[in-house]
Amino acid sequence: MGVNASPNPYLKPKYGGGVGASGRVVRGSEEMGKKREREPMEELVATVKVLGDVFVRMEQMKMEMAREMETMRMEMEMKRTEMFLESQQRIVEAFAKTLSEKKKKRSKRMPSPES
């Protein structure tokens, strides 16, 4: 929703009466008083509605940003876990390799009991 030049985009201007010789709108004083009273209230209502719409959009943007941040956090946590598991796997493989090499060296040093 864009910003309109009109202070109240939801209301159509209401014209009534005629134009007198002086160029002023000719109306009854009672009707003119009601119009003056009603216009500011209608403008206030429209302004509050626009303000409410802006707040709703801002809250939706904040919720979307929070969702994106949570998704990014979960992806980073998954990468961290994968790295941790990979490092643990490498450590286990290094220990296994070292143990198997020690066993081979021992078996070469020690003569078999049959000889």
Side-chain angles (χ1 to χ4, degrees):
M1 174 186 342
V3 177
N4 294 325
S6 169
N8 189 346
Y10 302 104
L11 300 175
K12 296 180 182 176
K14 297 178 183 176
Y15 300 105
V19 177
S22 65
R24 295 188 320 186
V25 176
V26 178
R27 294 181 181 206
S29 62
E30 185 178 316
E31 185 179 325
M32 193 65 164
K34 286 181 183 177
K35 178 145 178 68
R36 284 184 185 156
E37 214 174 277
R38 186 176 61 231
E39 280 180 1
M41 289 305 288
E42 289 173 349
E43 189 173 327
L44 178 64
V45 167
T47 303
V48 169
K49 181 173 179 4
V50 169
L51 182 63
D53 292 343
V54 169
F55 277 119
V56 167
R57 279 196 314 263
M58 287 180 62
E59 287 300 316
Q60 287 172 340
M61 287 172 51
K62 285 166 61 175
M63 287 170 44
E64 181 62 28
M65 287 175 60
R67 272 188 229 107
E68 289 174 7
M69 288 178 64
E70 182 63 16
T71 300
M72 288 171 50
R73 187 195 66 76
M74 289 172 57
E75 288 172 359
M76 294 302 290
E77 183 66 21
M78 180 68 77
K79 286 179 184 177
R80 186 188 72 80
T81 303
E82 287 172 358
M83 289 173 60
F84 178 76
L85 291 174
E86 185 178 321
S87 67
Q88 293 294 312
Q89 181 66 33
R90 287 182 181 173
I91 291 170
V92 168
E93 288 172 358
F95 276 124
K97 183 179 177 182
T98 303
L99 287 175
S100 68
E101 287 174 0
K102 284 185 178 181
K103 282 185 181 181
K104 286 179 185 177
K105 286 181 183 178
R106 265 196 234 153
S107 64
K108 287 182 183 178
R109 284 190 205 162
M110 296 178 64
S112 64
E114 297 172 357
S115 41

